[in-house]
Amino acid sequence: MPPEHAERAPAPAGRAPGTWWGRLHGAGPVIGLVLLCLAGTALNGDFATLDNALNVLTRTAFIGIIAVGMCFVIISGGIDLSVGSMAALIAGCMILVMNGAAQAIASPVAVVAVGMAVALALGAAFGLAHGLLITKGRIEPFIVTLGTLGIFRAYLTYFAGGGAITLDNALADLYSPVYYGSLLGVPIPVWIFALVALAGGFILNRTAYGRYVQAIGSNEQVARYAAVDVDRVKILTYMLLGLCVGIATLLYVPRLGSASPTTGLLWELEAIAAVIVGGTALKGGAGSITGTLVGAVLLSVISNILNLTSIISVYLNAAVQGFVIIVVAFLQRGRR
């Protein structure tokens, strides 16, 4: 059997989980989020309103769902730089299929269902391709996903003829409640984000597969000696991330009803940032879905504060996220 709690790697002196520093370090993302919310409230009175909170959570849903899948990949010791381009290509293909199916299928609801199925199937297929290239092809995850980053976006640009692929108006009206609708006053994307996070937390913490993912990220060689099918677990992990990208795309398409070469730009940066800000170790073996959820919300709050105030230009949002990644990586340098 693999090590049951691989994240329990020896901690640096003075940072053991039981020490006050270890507890403070573990609660860092939550403390940071609370401090940011206090700062946002002080800087702009519109920040601490229910409408703004729901707006932040709705915008967090896309990146948050992808970050849940990315959390599994990073805990296993991998990385995926292509999720933004993957989402763009899935969105483009989904719209093309739905527009084409509308000519052959009388029921618009069935057409939307076909489009959703295509998005999930493509996400799983792209994840399968990544997993096979990394495990069977023995290519580093960084190289594989850097290559597909360019491939996915180039194909979308080709299909769109350099412009945009737009969903048929009748289908767009039927599909729009998936993003703009709400249940019990909470937007649909927030509900789906919560369900994906709950499922991710259960899989990571309560299943053998989740323990295998952590064991592989902690020490792949030891996991192999413990009879863990490392290649199979890695392939499933990349497929899981692909499915999460497909789900996020399902929510994104009804928002704008189109896909263009700029769709999903820098989503990979935001997803990776959410995971590591949430406390997941960059070298794998340790991490949590709860931390990832907090990290995703924290980054959205930063963006929201930039939009509501004039402290820093909104055009520097990506720069702020880049600085956050570097600072968190610096603070994690003592972890494995």
Side-chain angles (χ1 to χ4, degrees), residues 56-143:
V56 169
L57 289 175
T58 303
R59 291 180 178 278
T60 304
F62 306 124
I63 299 303
I65 291 171
I66 296 174
V68 169
M70 186 69 79
C71 183
F72 279 84
V73 167
I74 292 180
I75 288 176
S76 72
I79 194 76
D80 191 332
L81 303 177
S82 71
V83 291
S85 299
M86 187 192 300
L89 180 56
I90 291 175
C93 292
M94 183 180 172
I95 293 172
L96 287 174
V97 168
M98 291 170 70
N99 287 342
Q103 308 299 321
I105 302 177
S107 171
V109 175
V111 172
V112 172
V114 168
M116 289 181 170
V118 166
L120 296 178
L122 282 176
F126 291 151
L128 175 63
H130 282 162
L132 290 174
L133 287 169
I134 291 166
T135 57
K136 307 301 181 185
R138 303 299 176 196
I139 307 173
E140 288 296 321
F142 175 85
I143 301 300

Side-chain angles (χ1 to χ4, degrees), residues 37-334:
C37 289
L38 292 175
T41 304
L43 290 170
N44 192 307
D46 293 333
F47 177 83
T49 61
L50 180 60
D51 286 344
N52 188 54
L54 290 177
N55 179 49
V56 169
L57 289 175
T58 303
R59 291 180 178 278
T60 304
F62 306 124
I63 299 303
I65 291 171
I66 296 174
V68 169
M70 186 69 79
C71 183
F72 279 84
V73 167
I74 292 180
I75 288 176
S76 72
I79 194 76
D80 191 332
L81 303 177
S82 71
V83 291
S85 299
M86 187 192 300
L89 180 56
I90 291 175
C93 292
M94 183 180 172
I95 293 172
L96 287 174
V97 168
M98 291 170 70
N99 287 342
Q103 308 299 321
I105 302 177
S107 171
V109 175
V111 172
V112 172
V114 168
M116 289 181 170
V118 166
L120 296 178
L122 282 176
F126 291 151
L128 175 63
H130 282 162
L132 290 174
L133 287 169
I134 291 166
T135 57
K136 307 301 181 185
R138 303 299 176 196
I139 307 173
E140 288 296 321
F142 175 85
I143 301 300
V144 170
T145 56
L146 184 63
T148 53
L149 178 152
I151 293 170
F152 290 151
R153 198 165 293 281
Y155 268 102
L156 171 67
T157 305
Y158 171 74
F159 290 147
I165 303 173
T166 305
L167 187 62
D168 180 80
N169 285 335
L171 292 173
D173 292 340
L174 178 70
Y175 197 4
S176 61
V178 173
Y179 177 79
Y180 293 103
S182 62
L183 179 65
L184 301 176
V186 178
I188 299 294
V190 178
W191 283 109
I192 297 177
F193 177 29
L195 290 175
V196 170
L198 286 172
F202 177 81
I203 293 171
L204 183 63
N205 300 312
R206 302 294 180 186
T207 67
Y209 165 75
R211 289 194 293 274
Y212 293 162
V213 169
Q214 297 176 63
I216 291 170
S218 180
N219 192 319
E220 183 174 328
Q221 200 61 35
V222 171
R224 288 186 188 277
Y225 290 149
V228 175
D229 190 341
V230 173
D231 288 355
R232 179 171 170 272
V233 172
K234 282 189 172 181
I235 290 171
L236 287 175
T237 302
Y238 281 94
M239 289 182 70
L240 180 63
L241 173 56
L243 276 175
C244 287
V245 175
I247 294 171
T249 307
L250 292 182
L251 301 176
Y252 177 82
V253 168
R255 179 187 177 193
L256 298 178
S258 66
S260 71
T262 60
T263 297
L265 208 59
L266 294 179
W267 280 15
E268 53 278 346
L269 173 66
E270 295 183 41
I272 293 170
V275 174
I276 65 169
V277 167
T280 296
L282 279 170
K283 293 183 178 179
S288 72
I289 298 299
T290 303
T292 298
L293 190 153
V294 173
V297 174
L298 189 148
L299 291 175
S300 290
V301 168
I302 291 175
S303 178
N304 185 246
I305 291 175
L306 293 181
N307 284 325
L308 292 176
T309 64
S310 57
I311 298 176
I312 302 176
S313 169
V314 293
Y315 299 122
L316 293 175
N317 190 20
V320 172
Q321 292 174 350
F323 281 122
V324 169
I325 292 176
I326 293 172
V327 170
V328 173
F330 177 77
L331 294 175
Q332 285 189 357
R333 68 194 187 284

